[in-house]
Amino acid sequence: MDNLDYGIIGNCRSAALISKTGSLDWCCLPEFDSPSVFAKLLDESKGGSFEIKTDAKYEIRQEYHKNTAILVTRFADGDDIFEIHDFMPRHHKPNGKYNAPPEVVRYVKYISGAPKFSVYYDPRLEYGMGLTTHYIKANYVVSLTHKQKFDTLFLYTSFNKNIVMDGGEITLKEDGFFLMCYNEKILKPSIDRMALELERTKVYWLDWVAKAPTYKQFNEEITRSGITLKLLTYDKTGAVLAAATTSLPETIGEVRNWDYRFCWIRDASMVIKVVSELGHKNSAKRYLQFIIDLMPDKDEKLQIMYGINKQKTLTERTLDHLDGYKGSKPVRVGNAAYKQRQNDIYGILMDVIYEQLVKFSNDIENVEELWSITKGIVWIVAKHWKEPDKGIWEFRGEDRHFTFSKVLCWVALDRAIKVAKMFGKQRKIEKWSALEQEIKRDIHQNAWNKDTNAFVQSYGSKHLDASVLLMEPYGFIHAKDPKYVSTVRAIEENLSNDGLLYRYKNEDDFGLPSSSFTICTFWFINSLFKIGEEEKALKLFDRLLGYSNHLGLFSEDIDFKTKRLLGNFPQAYSHLALIECAINFSKKMSEERILESIG
């Protein structure tokens, strides 16, 4: 079964996906949201790929070099063995900044025997919209297109360029390399230089992982998910991407195909909160600066999402020449959801501001700006919380009073009051507390459905929604409160399918949902854990981890029947929720061990 069996490599400028057989099938250069140079993922014939081909007798195994984003694909036929070490260079410069050029290194490591392979190198620039032509020069192969707009890509290699481009057989006797880069190199690359880049990148990732705490349980899963979240951050501005891809469908053959190479305020804030928990304050500081830069006016409303370079207009269009993943059309670039109103983003952002002030209060340079943003958020929430919106799931139909949005409006006030207490702003505390209580009463009165015995998706609705499970983690209600417990039970009964959760089951703009939304299953597991069903939660968690791909990576969705991964990949939402679950389990198990040893 095809299970999105890809590994991600990247350097916080862009990323690439490499299949379990060593084929580079997705890469956008020079940045995450640039047009693709390889997009076989979205069209087998027109997308373009960079493949390593061997005889069928070779066994292929793939894993990450431990605690790094370096992907190792091992090809073995008896004693004939070699490895491809794929990475995008990232390491510290002497001036303290990062070296993260728009390039991919495929380091070919000779292990033993006389292994043989050939290369299929077929970039298709600008999403494959026009003809890409290749020219073999003295030092490199240049690929160029000029139908849509002029663009180029350069390939440097230690192997014979003519043999490489002809797909001829190469017998490996020593290490070699392929360097694919967006810009022409000033100095000709060498095998020694590529080996140095490999080691420097390895050291960077090992150092990055070493900053995080070690957990007694699920440490490997937490580490891999943490690295994946880091790979979805964009250094230049501090933005965090929802995923590295566009248009991987939520259901094969349907039209729920979206471009996720943007920064959603909600997703990014949730990611930053988790990344901070892992001890990486620089990512948090950069993200807060990203927000500050987006809010120059004190009364400016935030969009729900932005381009990674702070673009405010993300016009959606379709690439009709591409067949789509497994024939799932349309392929979209841009995302029309940027125009939507989603009132929950203020609470989520306020939560992350509060968390950063608590964690790094002595090391935050922009305290005054954050206080201004806090006051601005309260002003916006006070003015708009009674209005309907599109909700967390971005319904494209009419606006509604979504429970999750209302709860997060309450969170905005709750966290703003906590920040005001930190700064000794007594008059603000008194004024804001009245509004906080008003919102809380409104939710209890209008979101609770007596017939369902649960908090429901929106005011006056009977439909259940997994997002209301977050009422407890955000502090709106206690885990043991009977209303929360009965909500968890109702959601289990109505939205759970073999331990996997629907977001909701009511019809939306595109029909009835037909796949499980991975983050919702993690939320559900967490809520079971919180209400006291720890053994059941752990069992479901272990089972869910088994549905990841061969490298422990998750996409956005899972097919209920086949357990196949669906949706954009890898998905920040899924991995941040995995980390939250795993940390909760690990902390609990550590506490139990301490109590047992005392006993």
Side-chain angles (χ1 to χ4, degrees):
M1 179 182 73
D2 184 340
N3 195 35
L4 285 174
D5 290 319
Y6 285 93
I8 182 174
I9 60 170
N11 60 3
C12 303
R13 180 169 180 176
S14 187
L17 297 184
I18 294 160
S19 78
K20 65 180 178 182
T21 59
S23 178
L24 202 169
D25 289 352
W26 176 254
C27 183
C28 299
L29 293 176
E31 296 178 331
F32 287 108
D33 59 352
S34 302
S36 62
V37 294
F38 295 107
K40 184 181 178 182
L41 190 65
L42 296 178
D43 192 304
E44 292 272 339
S45 61
K46 297 189 284 286
S49 60
F50 183 178
E51 302 176 31
I52 306 297
K53 292 181 170 288
T54 58
D55 188 282
K57 292 184 294 182
Y58 279 80
E59 286 185 9
I60 306 174
R61 223 175 61 230
Q62 192 177 62
E63 62 186 4
Y64 280 104
H65 188 286
K66 188 176 173 63
N67 293 347
T68 77
I70 298 165
L71 188 63
V72 180
T73 311
R74 186 180 181 90
F75 298 81
D77 176 17
D79 291 334
D80 299 335
I81 306 169
F82 72 101
E83 294 173 345
I84 306 291
H85 292 234
D86 282 307
F87 66 99
M88 295 183 78
R90 179 172 174 81
H91 51 80
H92 290 282
K93 292 179 178 179
N95 63 5
K97 295 185 177 179
Y98 294 101
N99 181 55
E103 55 194 45
V104 173
V105 178
R106 312 202 73 181
Y107 190 90
V108 185
K109 189 172 182 62
Y110 171 76
I111 304 297
S112 63
K116 295 178 172 60
F117 69 95
S118 61
V119 173
Y120 179 72
Y121 180 72
D122 182 32
R124 306 285 183 95
L125 306 183
E126 296 293 318
Y127 296 116
M129 282 191 281
L131 180 67
T132 298
T133 312
H134 313 294
Y135 299 96
I136 299 174
K137 304 289 187 179
N139 292 331
Y140 53 76
V141 177
V142 61
S143 304
L144 63 88
T145 185
H146 48 70
K147 183 173 181 184
Q148 293 296 319
K149 69 172 192 177
F150 180 74
D151 208 358
T152 55
L153 186 72
F154 298 87
L155 177 70
Y156 295 84
T157 180
S158 58
F159 302 106
N160 182 293
K161 292 184 291 296
N162 288 290
I163 293 174
V164 167
M165 295 307 291
D166 288 342
E169 189 173 77
I170 296 167
T171 300
L172 196 63
K173 298 173 182 173
E174 58 186 1
D175 289 3
F177 74 89
F178 299 97
L179 169 64
M180 184 193 76
C181 41
Y182 188 72
N183 300 309
E184 183 182 347
K185 305 301 285 184
I186 301 299
L187 299 174
K188 185 181 176 184
S190 66
I191 188 69
D192 289 341
R193 185 71 192 177
M194 293 302 101
L196 180 60
E197 286 293 297
L198 175 60
E199 293 306 313
R200 282 174 166 167
T201 301
K202 192 181 295 179
V203 166
Y204 166 80
W205 287 108
L206 292 173
D207 279 347
W208 189 85
V209 168
K211 291 185 176 82
T214 301
Y215 294 91
K216 296 283 186 187
Q217 302 291 323
F218 306 112
N219 194 64
E220 281 188 28
E221 289 84 355
I222 292 169
T223 299
R224 180 52 50 201
S225 290
I227 290 171
T228 304
L229 293 181
K230 178 64 175 173
L231 288 171
L232 294 172
T233 63
Y234 179 60
D235 255 3
K236 184 177 169 185
T237 62
V240 182
L241 287 82
T245 57
T246 179
S247 301
L248 295 186
E250 293 178 26
T251 303
I252 302 293
E254 292 191 7
V255 297
R256 299 171 193 261
N257 318 323
W258 316 109
D259 192 345
Y260 274 16
R261 298 170 298 158
F262 301 111
C263 183
W264 271 258
I265 297 301
R266 179 193 310 106
D267 303 38
S269 298
M270 288 178 169
V271 166
I272 288 301
K273 190 175 174 183
V274 166
V275 167
S276 299
E277 177 84 8
L278 297 177
H280 301 296
K281 63 182 178 183
N282 285 340
S283 296
K285 286 170 74 174
R286 277 195 293 269
Y287 176 67
L288 287 178
Q289 191 59 51
F290 177 75
I291 296 298
I292 288 166
D293 292 345
L294 287 171
M295 294 184 76
D297 301 319
K298 292 178 183 178
D299 67 341
E300 181 171 343
K301 289 193 70 177
L302 271 176
Q303 292 181 190
I304 67 160
M305 60 191 289
Y306 294 86
I308 59 172
N309 282 301
K310 305 174 193 171
Q311 305 98 311
K312 294 184 178 182
T313 303
L314 308 174
T315 306
E316 188 176 299
R317 61 194 174 96
T318 59
L319 301 179
D320 296 327
H321 68 289
L322 294 177
D323 290 342
Y325 179 82
K326 306 297 178 189
S328 303
K329 284 191 165 191
V331 171
R332 304 179 207 259
V333 292
N335 197 309
Y338 80 92
K339 297 175 182 176
Q340 290 189 358
R341 179 219 295 252
Q342 293 173 21
N343 294 333
D344 64 289
I345 63 171
Y346 299 103
I348 285 169
L349 178 57
M350 198 60 245
D351 183 54
V352 89
I353 288 172
Y354 169 67
E355 290 285 335
Q356 301 320 304
L357 287 169
V358 169
K359 278 192 174 71
F360 310 124
S361 56
N362 297 326
D363 195 29
I364 291 182
E365 301 153 6
N366 37 33
V367 171
E368 285 85 3
E369 286 151 304
L370 292 178
W371 175 238
S372 285
I373 288 176
T374 298
K375 291 186 290 183
I377 285 174
V378 173
W379 188 88
I380 291 166
V381 170
K383 193 176 178 186
H384 298 287
W385 76 271
K386 291 183 179 178
E387 298 169 3
D389 69 346
K390 298 296 186 190
I392 182 175
W393 307 128
E394 299 181 353
F395 288 98
R396 294 196 172 192
E398 64 179 42
D399 291 3
R400 286 182 248 166
H401 293 281
F402 288 101
T403 300
F404 181 78
S405 295
K406 303 297 186 189
V407 169
L408 268 294
C409 286
W410 173 86
V411 170
L413 268 295
D414 177 77
R415 303 308 192 265
I417 290 165
K418 287 181 166 75
V419 170
K421 285 176 181 174
M422 290 173 75
F423 296 153
K425 303 292 184 181
Q426 193 58 39
R427 286 180 63 192
K428 293 292 186 191
I429 295 166
E430 291 165 9
K431 186 180 175 184
W432 293 349
S433 293
L435 179 57
E436 179 250 339
Q437 286 301 310
E438 183 187 352
I439 297 172
K440 190 163 198 170
R441 281 193 302 273
D442 187 76
I443 294 165
H444 277 287
Q445 186 177 330
N446 295 300
W448 179 258
N449 185 305
K450 289 179 182 175
D451 297 332
T452 317
N453 204 27
F455 289 104
V456 287
Q457 184 179 72
S458 59
Y459 286 8
S461 165
K462 65 180 186 300
H463 299 299
L464 292 163
D465 191 307
S467 65
V468 302
L469 293 170
L470 294 183
M471 286 178 147
E472 186 277 332
Y474 277 112
F476 180 83
I477 194 168
H478 194 274
K480 300 298 167 67
D481 187 302
K483 288 172 89 170
Y484 185 70
V485 174
S486 64
T487 297
V488 175
R489 301 256 186 263
I491 284 174
E492 178 175 20
E493 187 179 333
N494 288 273
L495 298 185
S496 178
N497 180 338
D498 193 27
L500 296 174
L501 245 69
Y502 287 93
R503 286 181 285 184
Y504 48 84
K505 284 171 85 170
N506 46 303
E507 193 167 343
D508 60 22
D509 319 288
F510 302 96
L512 290 169
S514 56
S515 58
S516 169
F517 209 66
T518 306
I519 192 173
C520 296
T521 305
F522 283 119
W523 289 344
F524 171 59
I525 290 167
N526 233 353
S527 61
L528 282 177
F529 180 79
K530 293 288 188 67
I531 68 172
E533 297 199 17
E534 295 168 11
E535 197 173 316
K536 183 177 181 180
L538 187 56
K539 190 175 177 183
L540 286 174
F541 185 63
D542 280 329
R543 192 198 299 179
L544 182 54
L545 291 179
Y547 299 150
S548 73
N549 76 1
H550 64 300
L551 296 167
L553 301 180
F554 282 95
S555 61
E556 182 179 45
D557 304 270
I558 298 174
D559 183 86
F560 284 114
K561 289 181 182 175
T562 64
K563 309 301 188 280
R564 171 185 187 152
L565 297 180
L566 298 165
N568 281 308
F569 176 89
Q571 178 82 359
Y573 247 180
S574 301
H575 284 280
L576 76 88
L578 185 160
I579 292 171
E580 286 176 333
C581 259
I583 288 176
N584 278 338
F585 284 130
S586 187
K587 282 181 177 175
K588 178 74 175 181
M589 289 169 180
S590 299
E591 287 165 9
E592 284 172 353
R593 283 205 179 87
I594 291 166
L595 291 171
E596 282 170 13
S597 65
I598 292 170

